[in-house]
Amino acid sequence: FLSPRHGNRQRQTLELILDLAPPSMISIKPLFFSAVVASHRRTFLPPAAAMSTSTSASNRSCDGGGKSAVVFLHGLGDTPAGWSSLEDQLPSLRKNLGKDVHYVFPPAPTIGLTINGGMEMPGWFDLYDWPIGIGAKDDKDGKVAAARQIEDAVEKLEKEMGIPPSRVVVGGFSQGGAVALIAAYHRRRGKVPFAGCVCLSGWLTLKDELTVSDDVAKATPLFWGHGQWDDKVLFEQQAHGAAKLRDLGVDVTDRSYPMGHSSHPQEVEAMAEFVERALFPSK
């Protein structure tokens, strides 16, 4: 794991992983880019099924429900199970986000991480810098491939369930949030805009290639939540990314919370309010 060339840096990264992972989890998987949302129920989704959802969501889609959708991407080292509790939490906070909303939690592929000396784990793209500040290097190919996975999921929603992109909110945590921003803004020119985008503790990437068409800027608002003490994806990323998107006409709601690289109950409440407003503006 600790290669001679990256020994010191790798040792520091491993220490960060162990600091964030509960003792019972250390031997199972690294969680340094995960934020487990507390819930009484957790659905574990197999990595092979990119459109897998929980049993209850699948049942809803068979009886005419699922008129809108939320597609949410987990963080590095995590699985869809880490955030699948949103399917319960969001409706408990906003009832409109229940039976008529279909929840999709795509799994990231298993990739080698440069900052971990090639150690493989679930991830959307490679990382070269630690911590992740404004000047972090981009893995363009990996990010584009990850954004395509969101696009494939959205296309499948429309083809199989009749849910158009205009009725879909895309979002994610950390790496997942970074990919959601690419899918929602970088890659929607000439396509139907999404209903909204959620970025939790993520960052704006591929900034030199960022262009947002007027119709996307008007149709796709953004909720960005971030921890004030985040030492993984630095807090500076929120102000930097939000300012760039606002300059391009995007309606950005940015909120910060007293936490590190994690999730906060008030953040989930604000997210629920935002998603409801994006999907059901008249209610």
Side-chain angles (χ1 to χ4, degrees):
F1 179 81
L2 299 177
S3 65
R5 186 163 62 92
H6 298 289
N8 291 334
R9 189 176 185 182
Q10 287 299 104
R11 196 168 289 107
Q12 293 170 359
T13 304
L14 177 60
E15 290 170 355
L16 289 169
I17 294 173
L18 300 183
D19 284 344
L20 277 174
S24 61
M25 298 292 290
I26 290 174
S27 62
I28 302 176
K29 63 178 181 179
L31 290 173
F32 71 113
F33 268 68
S34 305
V36 177
V37 182
S39 174
H40 67 282
R41 183 173 68 84
R42 179 80 31 83
T43 303
F44 192 88
L45 307 180
M51 278 293 295
S52 293
T53 58
S54 74
T55 301
S56 61
S58 298
N59 289 341
R60 282 204 302 268
S61 69
C62 294
D63 60 11
K67 299 303 182 183
S68 302
V70 173
V71 179
F72 196 89
L73 278 64
H74 61 78
L76 179 65
D78 202 3
T79 70
W83 284 90
S84 63
S85 61
L86 287 177
E87 184 183 351
D88 293 327
Q89 289 196 317
L90 297 187
S92 73
L93 296 167
R94 298 282 171 166
K95 64 179 182 180
N96 290 323
L97 302 181
K99 65 177 183 178
D100 290 331
V101 178
H102 191 79
Y103 290 84
V104 181
F105 303 95
T110 298
I111 62 173
L113 269 293
T114 297
I115 62 167
N116 279 354
M119 175 184 176
E120 293 189 347
M121 64 182 68
W124 296 105
F125 51 84
D126 201 358
L127 293 174
Y128 308 103
D129 299 290
W130 186 264
I132 300 173
I134 293 173
K137 180 181 176 182
D138 284 326
D139 169 19
K140 179 180 177 180
D141 292 343
K143 290 169 182 175
V144 169
R148 285 176 181 157
Q149 187 166 339
I150 290 187
E151 293 165 356
D152 290 345
V154 172
E155 289 175 6
K156 190 169 184 179
L157 283 169
E158 185 167 26
K159 180 179 179 180
E160 297 186 358
M161 302 182 63
I163 302 175
S166 60
R167 301 292 301 151
V168 176
V169 171
V170 297
F173 173 78
S174 191
Q175 270 202 341
V179 174
L181 291 174
I182 295 172
Y185 300 111
H186 293 67
R187 295 176 55 83
R188 292 314 286 179
R189 181 176 293 276
K191 302 177 183 178
V192 177
F194 295 125
C197 181
V198 173
C199 177
L200 305 183
S201 301
W203 69 102
L204 184 66
T205 66
L206 305 178
K207 289 169 284 192
D208 293 340
E209 303 175 19
L210 176 62
T211 59
V212 181
S213 62
D214 291 341
D215 58 334
V216 170
K218 293 176 182 177
T220 310
L222 169 65
F223 174 78
W224 191 323
H226 214 107
Q228 298 163 358
W229 308 326
D230 196 333
D231 60 349
K232 311 300 184 291
V233 179
L234 300 183
F235 184 39
E236 64 183 17
Q237 290 278 19
Q238 183 188 43
H240 178 73
K244 284 190 171 293
L245 289 166
R246 283 197 181 102
D247 287 344
L248 294 171
V250 178
D251 179 7
V252 180
T253 299
D254 50 336
R255 299 285 183 268
S256 62
Y257 302 91
M259 63 180 185
H261 195 67
S262 185
S263 182
H264 194 282
Q266 293 178 6
E267 181 182 52
V268 178
E269 291 175 7
M271 174 185 170
E273 179 182 357
F274 170 84
V275 172
E276 182 186 50
R277 188 168 64 248
L279 294 178
F280 306 101
S282 62
K283 292 187 179 181

